[in-house]
Amino acid sequence: PTGFAYSERTSSWGHTAPSGVLFGVWDRQGYVRLDSGGGDISIKGKSANGTPGFAWRGDDTDIPIINAGDGSVSIVGESTSGHGIELNYYSGNHSPLIQSSSDADVAISVIGSTDASAGYQGIATMVSSGDGGIYLEGASGSGAAGWDIWFPGGGLYAASGDITIVGAGPGQTGVVDVTLGTGSLGVTSSSDIVIKSDRLEDDDVRTIQTTGSLSFLPYSDSGFAQSFSISTKTTLSNTLSGLVIGDANNTSNVAISREFAVAGPISMYGNYIWIYDDLETTTSGSDVLVKSHGVGGVNGYIVLESGSSITTNGGDIILWSNAANVSSGAANSEISFSSGSSLSSAGGAIVLAGGLDPAADRRAAPSALGRGRSGRTALALAGGVRLIPRRLAPGACGAALHSRAR
């Protein structure tokens, strides 16, 4: 069968109107265990009432489990007025555990959608111990105030397959008190991790541990729908092989308030881009690209705040403040270095670019050169580009760029 188990009743949740698929019952425990011994497991539930399309109660005594062995797991839930999927429904001491050792591209897939409320909501642990990935998607129809995904605990653990979280609607994506990558049941992760949403909740506590890459991307082609920020509330391993924030179409603001040390390249895209802490690529030749489109009411602005730094091990550092080549507008094409900030490339090129393509011309456009703020910052450009001295107050610390010749 390929269709949904469907509940069309419209009375309230409980005795008379269960979800399309319900594990456990509303006034009892939710312990259910499915073991397929290697066969695929598919669950599809849909509801026309206020209940989730698929609901699984937590349990106070035992861990509810789905274990497909080397088969795959697919869960789809849809609802018109309830959550698409809710795991640990009505809570419980033990939330569901979903396991697969499949080598398929996607070993575990969980997709929830609703015309209202949350597409996916709930606490769960999903473990892919084979080469397969984990895919979690949610979409809400209740606008920016709704939740595409509300994931307030548990983890997504994969040995090597991609871990992908997608907020596919106009709502928020919240990934809170969740661990991604290395974790449960002895899984050590080399997975690439992608979190894709137009409205990623920016104050979430989460832990990310992998030797793969990490990407925070907008879902829509027009970029994030709100400013993106990441702080020390996100705990990261220093083994990441790459970091991407935003994409080539993103024109929303980006703020980085925590240190990153990455064993691979770093790329950031936005309009205003604030860097409050240190960015470092540790692998030889890995570049750092910070690219502002230079569009919007206040145009292209890249800021290294006081004491922050960008450091590479022979990789290029490119700050590009006006990628859209805007020729008019407020604060157009500005790169600003606050006191004590620095760029150091250990031999890699340091490029400050405005409206020019830095790959085509290694000299910065005049409009791209940074300004000191309140006379406190001096800007030194290595590599023979330009030098703009500014007078410093006695005892003040300037900003500097360092690049030894190759």
Side-chain angles (χ1 to χ4, degrees), residues 233-258:
K233 289 187 176 182
T234 295
T235 301
L236 297 170
S237 61
N238 60 6
T239 58
L240 293 174
S241 62
L243 172 68
V244 178
I245 295 176
D247 63 12
N249 296 316
N250 180 46
T251 57
S252 292
N253 299 334
V254 171
I256 308 300
S257 301
R258 58 149 298 126

Side-chain angles (χ1 to χ4, degrees), residues 77-92:
E78 298 179 4
S79 181
T80 56
S81 56
H83 304 317
I85 292 173
E86 185 165 359
L87 304 184
N88 205 31
Y89 196 25
Y90 273 71
S91 71

Side-chain angles (χ1 to χ4, degrees), residues 69-146:
D70 58 8
S72 62
V73 178
S74 174
I75 300 174
V76 181
E78 298 179 4
S79 181
T80 56
S81 56
H83 304 317
I85 292 173
E86 185 165 359
L87 304 184
N88 205 31
Y89 196 25
Y90 273 71
S91 71
N93 293 330
H94 300 284
S95 56
L97 169 64
I98 301 171
Q99 298 173 271
S100 171
S101 59
S102 172
D103 293 333
D105 288 344
V106 178
I108 299 172
S109 174
V110 178
I111 301 174
S113 62
T114 179
D115 293 338
S117 199
Y120 168 90
Q121 176 170 300
I123 300 171
T125 299
M126 306 181 198
V127 180
S128 172
S129 56
D131 292 335
I134 299 174
Y135 183 86
L136 172 62
E137 178 183 309
S140 170
S142 56

Side-chain angles (χ1 to χ4, degrees), residues 31-35 56 63-67 96-99:
Y31 180 73
V32 172
R33 178 164 185 145
L34 303 181
D35 287 283
W56 192 350
I63 300 175
I65 294 175
I66 290 176
N67 189 343
L97 169 64
I98 301 171
Q99 298 173 271

